Amino acid sequence: DIQMTQSPSSLSASVGDSVTITCRASQSISRFLNWYQRKPGKAPKLLIYAASSLQSGVPSRFSGSGSGTDFTLTISSLQPEDFATYYCQQSYSTLWTFGQGTKVEIK
Amino acid sequence: QVQLQESGPGLVEPSETLSLTCTVSGDSISSYYWSWIRQPPGKGLEWIGYVYYSGSTNYNPSLKSRVTISVDTSKKQFSLKVTSVTAADTAVYFCARVNGGNPNYYFDYWGQGTLVTVSS
């Protein structure tokens, strides 16, 4: 199995802050890495696919980068609606796996 | 706009079979993979498996012996069965459409999720 490890597990930030979440794969996954946002009671929402491609309709303050084993999701100017839990997910192997999640909370 | 809706019992007794159906609207069920994902209370997301519209499947090895995912293209539905459930199978279950191309696959549309509790 390819293990996906996110850091930090949680963070506190203020509206307007820039936030970076890291996702590390246990082996190289090229750029086959996706990011999702999950709010309580809501379905997960695709933000970024293929490491850096912005899903249609997602605000441009979200961006992704990385390749190989290390990836980042950056929210350039945190908005009130961005407080949520974020998950990375790899599809490089036939067993698709998610990171454990990063909860972004209001400071 | 593609919409997915899960349906099925919210309570299943231990050792019984969990059965859920996902109904797709707004687009064809053909030419895509369709997947089930779950999230136990307080835990992260776990991919269960997928079915192609043709019927071919791929499962998470940790669940493979107990899981069956099938598709009914005429009804625009796909289904999940998990046998011999225990409390560890208590989770919110999501259905999702898989987009992309080998091997860059991602879940671009999701159902709202349905909570299934395993308890007597």
Side-chain angles (χ1 to χ4, degrees):
Chain A
D1 301 6
I2 298 177
Q3 307 299 322
M4 307 301 294
T5 304
Q6 290 181 231
S7 60
S9 295
S10 65
L11 65 90
S12 296
S14 301
V15 172
D17 285 353
S18 178
V19 167
T20 297
I21 299 168
T22 296
C23 179
R24 175 164 288 175
S26 59
Q27 66 182 75
S28 177
I29 57 170
S30 185
R31 293 177 57 82
F32 305 129
L33 189 283
N34 312 305
W35 290 97
Y36 302 87
Q37 178 192 66
R38 171 92 156 100
K39 294 181 180 179
K42 297 283 188 76
K45 175 184 177 181
L46 175 68
L47 300 174
I48 302 284
Y49 62 95
S52 61
S53 295
L54 190 68
Q55 172 69 350
S56 176
V58 174
S60 58
R61 62 180 179 273
F62 291 93
S63 63
S65 65
S67 65
T69 61
D70 294 317
F71 301 85
T72 59
L73 172 71
T74 299
I75 311 172
S76 61
S77 177
L78 206 61
Q79 298 300 300
E81 60 268 30
D82 300 336
F83 292 97
T85 301
Y86 294 84
Y87 294 90
C88 61
Q89 173 249 327
Q90 65 81 21
S91 65
Y92 181 83
S93 71
T94 55
L95 169 52
W96 300 343
T97 50
F98 290 89
Q100 82 279 14
T102 296
K103 188 173 184 178
V104 177
E105 299 176 298
I106 302 173
K107 182 182 286 184
Chain B
Q1 177 77 353
V2 178
Q3 293 186 324
L4 292 84
Q5 180 65 57
E6 305 90 350
S7 59
L11 181 64
V12 181
E13 294 197 357
S15 80
E16 297 297 311
T17 296
L18 179 161
S19 295
L20 295 174
T21 297
C22 183
T23 302
V24 179
S25 60
D27 198 0
S28 171
I29 200 169
S30 299
S31 303
Y32 287 101
Y33 292 90
W34 302 90
S35 197
W36 288 96
I37 298 122
R38 69 181 184 180
Q39 184 168 29
K43 297 188 178 182
L45 296 164
E46 179 181 36
W47 173 69
I48 299 171
Y50 68 64
V51 61
Y52 195 41
Y53 77 99
S54 63
S56 63
T57 55
N58 182 30
Y59 301 129
N60 187 323
S62 69
L63 296 165
K64 187 173 183 177
S65 63
R66 300 192 295 126
V67 166
T68 302
I69 300 175
S70 58
V71 63
D72 185 335
T73 55
S74 65
K75 294 182 178 179
K76 296 183 71 174
Q77 294 178 333
F78 62 105
S79 300
L80 169 71
K81 291 187 186 301
V82 183
T83 61
S84 305
V85 297
T86 69
D89 294 307
T90 294
V92 176
Y93 285 76
F94 296 98
C95 59
R97 190 179 81 169
V98 181
N99 209 335
N102 190 26
N104 182 31
Y105 292 112
Y106 47 90
F107 308 108
D108 62 346
Y109 288 98
W110 297 65
Q112 283 296 103
T114 186
L115 174 62
V116 178
T117 301
V118 178
S119 175
S120 56

